[in-house]
Amino acid sequence: MDATSSSPTGTQSGNVITWNLAGASGDTQITYSLSTTADTSEGVTFSGVIEAGDQTFGVGGTVGMDIEGANAAVAPLITTNNVVLDGELNAGEYDGAYVFTFDRANAVAPGVLIGGDSYPPSESNMTVHIFHDERYIFVGCDMLDPSVNFEASASDAWRNDSVELYMDGDDSQQSGAKDDNEFGFQATVMGNGAIWGGSGAPAATDAVDLANGGRAVDIDGRFWNAGARAKDDGTGYIVEYKVDKELILDPLDISEIGFDIGLNDVSVGDTDRTGKWAWWHFDNATGGRVDAWNDESGWGRLTLLPTSEIPGVSDWGLY
């Protein structure tokens, strides 16, 4: 017997819903779908009682977790988008993608700051667009930054204004050197496309018209391709990644992998990194921050969805 057949509507008083399963016997199960538009980064707490004859049973717990809260992101399956890796998020390229924005925080993910930085989160943040198709994972990163410095002559120029993409394709969550793991890698692209680096990376390539913002387009690499471009109005830059699932997933049908995004930033007048911050980079064991470029156990999570539907909070655990 289910709730709809025995009590189609129930009764509600304030935040309390009461169901009367008249005549229920044996194994009786009620399934709820819980939805909320509130901030659920700490989960949704529910409680209640079941009265059966002269007995009362308490029920409750914290379920679900807003996928923008904690350390989980998703990639819906979309096969109709045509992404051009030119450092521009043009109309139609990321339709239906999962989108989230994060900024820097002191020690609370998402948005973990490692080292100093002079800009408040409202002035410097990143919006990420994620989806996958039959072959590739696409990640478009739109960086708002009041100060960009792509000075190529600076030592380790990639430290100035670049995006670091992390994927643990076999979900090993190992803490050792990821380069020893074929399926765990870091891909770094400077925000004007001039500097590339990482495991199985494309070779460093001159961007087109670099002096005027420039871009790099579809540079082939072993695991990933990318495109990047500084914005013409000077408000930041965009980096796009296309990661080959056939080369970084093990097994190929794995549905959850390690995933993170790191940012290297520079302040006005500086030529080297003044701050590094990340979407996750958080140590669950100690509750502290980690500079996780070489530590997959400190990365967040990415679920590769089998459909284009992005789940709501109810789809994560209340069944």
Side-chain angles (χ1 to χ4, degrees), residues 17-295:
I17 299 174
T18 301
W19 295 90
N20 178 20
L21 302 186
S25 62
D27 294 330
T28 303
Q29 178 176 333
I30 303 175
T31 301
Y32 282 93
S33 178
L34 176 64
S35 299
T36 177
T37 58
D39 178 8
T40 56
S41 60
E42 300 299 325
V44 176
T45 300
F46 71 102
S47 62
V49 295
I50 297 175
E51 297 179 354
D54 59 355
Q55 299 184 66
T56 300
F57 305 92
V59 296
T62 300
V63 298
M65 184 67 78
D66 186 352
I67 50 181
E68 292 190 26
N71 67 334
V74 297
L77 178 66
I78 301 172
T79 60
T80 54
N81 291 352
N82 181 27
V83 175
V84 178
L85 302 180
D86 58 1
E88 295 183 349
L89 305 181
N90 293 313
E93 288 188 312
Y94 292 87
D95 283 355
Y98 174 59
V99 181
F100 69 96
T101 299
F102 72 100
D103 52 42
R104 67 204 72 201
N106 289 328
V108 180
V112 177
L113 176 62
I114 303 167
D117 209 305
S118 58
Y119 294 110
S122 61
E123 296 181 9
S124 183
N125 58 61
M126 172 164 282
T127 299
V128 182
H129 307 251
I130 310 175
F131 75 94
H132 68 123
D133 63 16
E134 298 97 331
R135 178 69 182 270
Y136 300 102
I137 300 171
F138 295 90
V139 182
C141 304
D142 187 347
M143 178 69 179
L144 175 65
D145 188 353
S147 176
V148 293
N149 185 344
F150 300 119
E151 177 55 60
S153 62
S155 175
D156 291 329
W158 63 271
R159 292 174 175 265
N160 287 356
D161 289 286
S162 67
V163 180
E164 301 181 22
L165 178 69
Y166 306 79
M167 287 194 182
D168 179 12
D170 61 354
D171 198 31
S172 64
Q173 301 183 47
Q174 65 178 11
S175 58
K178 65 185 178 304
D179 287 350
D180 294 334
N181 169 15
E182 178 180 358
F183 303 100
F185 78 102
Q186 172 196 10
T188 302
V189 180
M190 202 149 149
N192 62 355
I195 303 295
W196 309 71
S199 308
T205 304
D206 289 336
V208 177
D209 196 17
L210 182 60
N212 294 311
R215 68 183 69 188
V217 181
D218 283 349
I219 307 302
D220 291 333
R222 180 182 177 192
F223 299 119
W224 55 280
N225 302 336
R229 189 176 191 274
K231 297 178 183 180
D232 292 335
D233 61 6
T235 60
Y237 55 88
I238 292 172
V239 175
E240 297 177 274
Y241 294 94
K242 182 174 74 173
V243 181
D244 193 334
K245 294 194 295 187
E246 292 189 2
L247 293 179
I248 67 105
L249 298 186
D250 181 32
L252 186 57
D253 62 353
I254 192 172
S255 61
E256 186 174 77
I257 63 175
F259 172 80
D260 212 331
I261 295 175
L263 284 299
N264 298 291
D265 207 1
V266 65
S267 296
V268 175
D270 292 309
T271 57
D272 202 357
R273 180 172 59 185
T274 53
K276 180 174 181 177
W277 49 290
W279 171 66
W280 187 244
H281 280 202
F282 204 69
D283 187 344
N284 281 318
T286 65
R289 299 165 293 177
V290 293
D291 194 349
W293 71 272
N294 205 30
D295 185 350

